[in-house]
Amino acid sequence: MNTETGRVLVVDDDETVRDVVRRYLERDGHQVRLVGDGETALRLATEWKPDLVVLDLMLPGVDGLEVCRRLRERDSIPVVMLTALGEEADRVLGLRVGADDYVVKPFSPRELALRVTSVLRRARTAPAPQPAEVLTDGTLRLDTGARRAVLGDAELALTTREFELLEFLLRNPKQAFSRAELLSRVWGWEFGDQSTVTVHVRRLREKVEADPANPCRISTVWGVGYRYDPAE
């Protein structure tokens, strides 16, 4: 199976944008379907089963955030979100509900096509296998074979990416990593918006830190990025 091409559903209420995106994606070998509203997008996602969705945030009726949330309830289909310039809060919300990446309007169609290829490749290519083991840090236990994380007596509800990020940090304690390095090592992306990492670190802190505002495990290294500090 080609890891770089697939069935792509493009959801945008602007017909011109849809057509331009379609031409660039088809040029790269993708099969493309176009829709202009959220309800139709959700129906077609069920019927056609795309490999990836390019999703505009601002849609008539059901907006892009709600579409992304409902898609994530069904399965782990990759989503690349389109957002308006300057709407940082909306982009962060998109990442929080499960978008894999986003592109800011007005955007380069070529850049979007490259993002689609990168996200598809990552979704289909298994990471280098690590030995199954139980990683521990104080009362935090991560069973990499069973894909379970437990803090004290409570099991943590981690997304796939949160689990992978926490596993990487536990395997590499006391080392500072930039957001670009984490994007490459955990996400497998050589380019992409680094705020993706910021959002996932924030979400992870909310689940593993006693006080997320003053983290002890996942520390910020100013001017560099993040470091995992094991409990003494």
Side-chain angles (χ1 to χ4, degrees), residues 37-59:
D37 65 272
E39 288 288 358
T40 306
L42 289 167
R43 184 174 70 251
L44 194 54
T46 299
E47 297 171 355
W48 191 50
K49 300 188 183 307
D51 299 303
L52 181 143
V53 177
V54 175
L55 179 63
D56 187 26
L57 183 66
M58 301 300 294
L59 294 171

Side-chain angles (χ1 to χ4, degrees), residues 130-133 135 144 166-173 175 228:
Q130 294 279 2
E133 58 185 293
L135 306 173
T144 64
L166 182 57
E167 179 182 354
F168 177 82
L169 293 172
L170 282 170
R171 290 186 184 276
N172 298 277
Q175 298 182 51
Y228 191 91

